[in-house]
Amino acid sequence: MTEPKARWWDALLLLALIWGSSFLFVKVAVRVMPPGYVALARMAVGAVTLLLVLAATGQRLPRSRAVWGHSAVTALLVNVAPFTLFSWGEQHVSSVLAGIFNATTPVLAMLVAAVLLPDERPDRRRLVGLPIGFAGVLVVLGVWRGTDGQSLAGQLACLAAAACYALGFPYAKRTLAGRPESTVALSAVQVVLGTAEGAVVAPLLSGGLPTDLGRWCTLPVIGSVLALGALCTGVAYPLNYRVIRRAGAVAATMVSYLMPLVAVVAGVLLLDERVTWNQPVGALVVLLGVAVAQGVLRRGGAKRTPVGAAPTGPVPGEPGTADPVGEEVPGRSSA
């Protein structure tokens, strides 16, 4: 059961601020670091943060081979590929546009879940909402006037990153969400494996080991990497589970609606990026499509949990799964 009298909006807004600002941090880091190494550094810092949380809560890494095997696939889909693609894409497009493309994840995830999760095939709401969401993507792209000076390849890289999330979240739900291990333990395994995979991928994509580490050792770059790893991976998880416990899973997924707004504001105020009218309008259309498809605008009735709402980590566990601070997450209905 939820706790309606407990505060949760503060946690939700802070979570939106953290995840929505991740595109700003990537934009700062990728100006100096190759995209593969931005992703690797982010995962390494995140792994250390989660291992510290695991130790502080008296938990251990899972020993199941199945967990490690499925986590390796999830890490590739949810961490290594999208982190690298977003980092590369932001060399060619603004952090605002990258943040907006991330908002397409729930729309894409509904399509994937219809195939991987038979009990989540599109119903009437989703059949109406999906076309609205894709229309929003076309508005964001501004297909009537070309790329407007921003690289089409960069835009496609950001869209591919969102598609990786859309594949990864249903896969994690199908293979890992019902496990008895705590969500922080599953997250730690995933990010540790992602770091190992990234250590192989980064040199291959960057043409070898870095030779100019001195250029990376600036306060903005170090701060951005620490924020990406510690905040956007480590600190964000307990905040997300607090909202789930106090307000329910549907309220927790509202963070994906707030993230593009944070990305737009951060890009404009801190990076002096330019926003054209079609980007925020398209973002609103995308989010309207998601809201319709997920029943957010429906009056009354049973609430359902959207698929693929969170940008990182495995989806929360099923009833009885412990959260990162050792408390039990209430049961939730499937999406």
Side-chain angles (χ1 to χ4, degrees):
M1 297 179 62
T2 60
E3 303 172 37
K5 295 183 179 180
R7 292 179 57 188
W8 57 274
W9 273 103
D10 53 350
L12 183 74
L13 293 175
L14 184 55
L15 189 61
L17 180 63
I18 291 173
W19 277 341
S21 299
S22 65
F23 303 98
L24 168 67
F25 298 136
V26 169
K27 190 69 174 181
V28 172
V30 82
R31 288 174 175 174
V32 178
M33 300 174 63
Y37 283 106
V38 172
L40 174 60
R42 174 179 183 175
M43 289 183 289
V45 174
V48 171
T49 303
L50 285 167
L51 289 174
L52 289 175
V53 173
L54 201 66
T57 55
Q59 302 179 60
R60 295 184 299 179
L61 289 172
R63 297 182 179 180
S64 169
R65 292 182 180 179
V67 169
W68 284 79
H70 290 308
S71 294
V73 177
T74 303
L76 184 62
L77 292 173
V78 176
N79 298 112
V80 180
F83 289 178
T84 303
L85 285 167
F86 269 128
S87 298
W88 188 88
E90 287 197 54
Q91 289 184 318
H92 307 280
V93 302
S94 69
S95 66
V96 170
L97 195 55
I100 292 173
F101 270 111
N102 187 67
T104 67
T105 298
V107 177
L108 298 174
M110 285 186 288
L111 289 173
V112 176
V115 177
L116 295 183
L117 304 173
D119 59 329
E120 297 182 10
R121 288 173 179 153
D123 54 16
R124 182 182 302 174
R125 298 192 315 274
R126 294 182 181 181
L127 291 175
V128 173
L130 283 174
I132 296 176
F134 282 118
V137 174
L138 297 179
V139 174
V140 171
L141 286 171
V143 293
W144 59 89
R145 53 175 170 72
T147 59
D148 194 29
Q150 299 204 55
S151 167
L152 178 60
Q155 297 181 59
L156 292 176
C158 293
L159 185 60
C164 288
Y165 285 137
L167 287 169
F169 289 128
Y171 180 86
K173 180 176 181 180
R174 182 173 182 176
T175 60
L176 294 170
R179 300 283 311 183
E181 293 85 359
S182 72
T183 48
V184 69
L186 293 173
S187 300
V189 170
Q190 176 184 319
V191 181
V192 166
L193 289 171
T195 303
E197 294 169 353
V200 176
V201 172
L204 294 177
L205 295 180
S206 307
L209 298 174
T211 57
D212 53 353
L213 291 176
R215 294 184 58 220
W216 300 5
C217 297
T218 64
L219 187 59
V221 173
I222 293 175
S224 295
V225 170
L226 290 176
L228 285 169
L231 289 178
C232 300
T233 301
V235 174
Y237 288 136
L239 290 173
N240 190 39
Y241 299 131
R242 181 191 303 176
V243 178
I244 291 174
R245 289 188 68 247
R246 295 183 176 182
V250 171
T253 61
M254 290 171 60
V255 69
S256 62
Y257 305 158
L258 300 175
M259 284 171 58
L261 302 180
V262 175
V264 169
V265 173
V268 171
L269 295 182
L270 301 180
L271 296 180
D272 196 28
E273 294 180 340
R274 183 171 60 92
V275 177
T276 56
W277 69 267
N278 60 293
Q279 292 173 350
V281 170
L284 291 176
V285 176
V286 169
L287 299 181
L288 174 63
V290 174
V292 171
Q294 301 288 30
V296 175
L297 302 181
R298 181 180 55 180
R299 294 183 179 179
K303 295 183 178 180
R304 296 169 64 84
T305 304
V307 178
T312 58
V315 292
E318 295 300 324
T321 299
D323 73 4
V325 292
E327 296 173 330
E328 191 166 318
V329 177
R332 64 188 179 94
S333 59
S334 60

